[in-house]
């Protein structure tokens, strides 16, 4: 399955693009553009501080969140998909749509001979970039190069996580990540009355981010629907994402996510 990948020299990385960035630059003033980038970098920076084994590279509309020490480890896979989901949730809560891909493989990060310029390249980056460009939604995919080493070390766990709605396994063996980790986790506790209101204060900032980010996607898709726009490239991304969320969350969690955003519950 993964014989072509050197597990000892590989790194996990998340390649993430802000969607609609060119339009943002063309239509907005500098302070607003800066605020979007700054908000995104803060989301990554929070997890760099909490998990010192990952670093961030940023350029224009692209963020690369990568494993600093080389070598496969189950911890790295578990960390990067969870952090990826929570970073995306934070961006969505700030009204920033993004799309990304997680891969594993060769990725070199160093400085040039003068020590002035950072140099980064590798097959894992190329694979993630090409895969991300093919997608037509707002979300994160996990490539076989990323999940298959974990499956080999823990057989059956990937499918078990699929049943738990951590992700959906597509026919091409790509995993579609459920970014709303906390929304999924706290649902059953909330049914038993063990999640205190207001939700804006519970398990902050991740749980509130899930609620606000989920609302952002629903509200934006509803705006396109109200315009009877189902076919423009931007509208397709939101409608496709909403279809995915209804599937991965299920009817009950999806409905609870809608209710969680109501002022009487959230504030």
């Amino acid at each position: 399955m993964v014989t072509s990948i050197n597990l000892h020299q590989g790194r996990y990385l998340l390649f993430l693009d802000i969607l609609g960035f060119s339009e943002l630059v063309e239509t907005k003033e500098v302070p607003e553009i800066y605020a979007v980038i700054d908000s995104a970098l803060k989301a990554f920076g929070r997890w760099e501080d909490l998990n010192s084994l990952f670093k961030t590279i940023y350029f224009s509309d692209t963020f690369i969140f990568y494993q600093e020490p080389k070598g496969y480890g189950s911890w790295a896979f578990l960390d990067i998909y969870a952090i990826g989901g929570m970073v995306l949730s934070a961006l969505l809560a700030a009204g920033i749509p993004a799309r990304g891909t997680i891969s594993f493989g060769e990725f070199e990060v160093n400085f040039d001979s003068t020590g002035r310029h950072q140099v980064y390249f590798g097959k894992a980056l190329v694979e993630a970039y090409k895969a991300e460009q093919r997608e037509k939604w707002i979300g994160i995919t996990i490539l076989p190069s990323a999940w298959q080493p974990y499956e080999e070390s823990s057989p059956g766990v990937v499918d078990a996580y699929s049943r738990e709605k951590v992700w959906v396994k597509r026919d091409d063996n790509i995993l579609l990540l459920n970014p709303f980790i906390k929304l999924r986790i706290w649902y059953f506790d909330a049914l038993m009355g063990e999640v205190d209101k207001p939700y804006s204060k519970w398990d902050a900032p991740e749980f509130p981010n899930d609620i606000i980010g989920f609302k952002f996607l629903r509200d934006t898709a509803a705006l396109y629907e109200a315009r009877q726009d189902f076919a423009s490239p931007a509208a397709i991304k939101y409608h496709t994402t909403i279809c995915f969320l209804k599937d991965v969350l299920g009817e009950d969690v999806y409905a609870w996510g809608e209710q969680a955003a109501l002022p009487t519950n959230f504030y």
Side-chain angles (χ1 to χ4, degrees):
M1 291 169 62
V2 293
T3 53
S4 62
I5 301 173
N6 187 327
L7 297 182
H8 298 294
Q9 294 300 313
R11 283 184 165 122
Y12 275 103
L13 67 83
L14 164 64
F15 181 93
L16 193 80
D17 268 347
I18 295 176
L19 299 176
F21 190 76
S22 295
E23 182 181 357
L24 181 72
V25 172
E26 292 170 354
T27 60
K28 303 298 180 182
E29 298 298 325
V30 169
E32 189 170 350
I33 300 166
Y34 177 86
V36 169
I37 297 169
D38 189 58
S39 180
L41 284 171
K42 284 179 179 177
F44 282 101
R46 168 175 164 77
W47 287 104
E48 281 190 63
D49 291 340
L50 292 173
N51 188 325
S52 61
L53 298 178
F54 286 87
K55 301 296 180 185
T56 304
I57 296 171
Y58 161 72
F59 175 74
S60 186
D61 61 346
T62 299
F63 301 82
I64 302 169
F65 188 71
Y66 70 95
Q67 171 191 340
E68 188 172 43
K70 289 183 178 181
Y72 167 76
S74 59
W75 62 267
F77 174 71
L78 296 172
D79 283 356
I80 199 163
Y81 90 70
I83 292 171
M86 288 184 280
V87 165
L88 178 58
S89 174
L91 295 181
L92 294 173
I96 304 171
R99 183 178 63 218
T101 297
I102 294 171
S103 64
F104 176 81
E106 173 193 284
F107 182 59
E108 296 297 323
V109 182
N110 215 322
F111 286 92
D112 70 346
S113 58
T114 69
R116 296 170 58 191
H117 307 286
Q118 189 176 51
V119 178
Y120 54 93
F121 60 90
K123 294 177 182 177
L125 177 59
V126 173
E127 181 190 31
Y129 167 75
K130 288 182 177 179
E132 185 268 334
Q133 291 292 301
R134 289 194 294 266
E135 299 296 330
K136 305 297 181 185
W137 71 321
I138 299 163
I140 293 174
T141 53
I142 305 174
L143 300 181
S145 66
W147 66 260
Q148 285 179 350
Y150 182 70
E151 173 68 15
E152 289 188 352
S153 64
S154 305
V157 175
V158 169
D159 286 339
Y161 282 1
S162 293
R163 292 190 293 271
E164 294 176 13
K165 304 301 182 180
V166 175
W167 47 58
V168 170
K169 190 175 182 182
R170 211 162 59 185
D171 289 345
D172 59 0
N173 280 332
I174 289 176
L175 306 180
L176 309 181
L177 181 65
N178 177 1
F180 300 125
I181 295 169
K182 299 295 185 174
L183 197 66
R184 174 178 58 85
I185 287 175
W186 289 119
Y187 169 67
F188 291 106
D189 296 81
L191 290 183
M192 295 183 288
E194 296 180 1
V195 177
D196 294 336
K197 296 178 184 177
Y199 292 152
S200 60
K201 304 297 183 182
W202 183 264
D203 195 10
E206 280 73 41
F207 182 51
N209 280 345
D210 276 13
I211 295 172
I212 300 170
F214 183 41
K215 185 177 187 298
F216 167 72
L217 290 173
R218 298 194 325 272
D219 288 351
T220 308
L223 287 175
Y224 282 112
E225 183 177 2
R227 300 173 193 158
Q228 295 297 295
D229 184 355
F230 300 97
S232 70
I236 287 172
K237 291 182 179 71
Y238 283 93
H239 295 315
T240 301
T241 303
I242 291 299
C243 288
F244 164 73
L245 291 173
K246 287 180 177 178
D247 179 50
V248 74
L249 293 174
E251 182 179 343
D252 292 339
V253 179
Y254 190 95
W256 180 64
E258 292 178 308
Q259 294 297 311
L262 296 176
T264 51
N265 293 322
F266 190 73
Y267 297 106

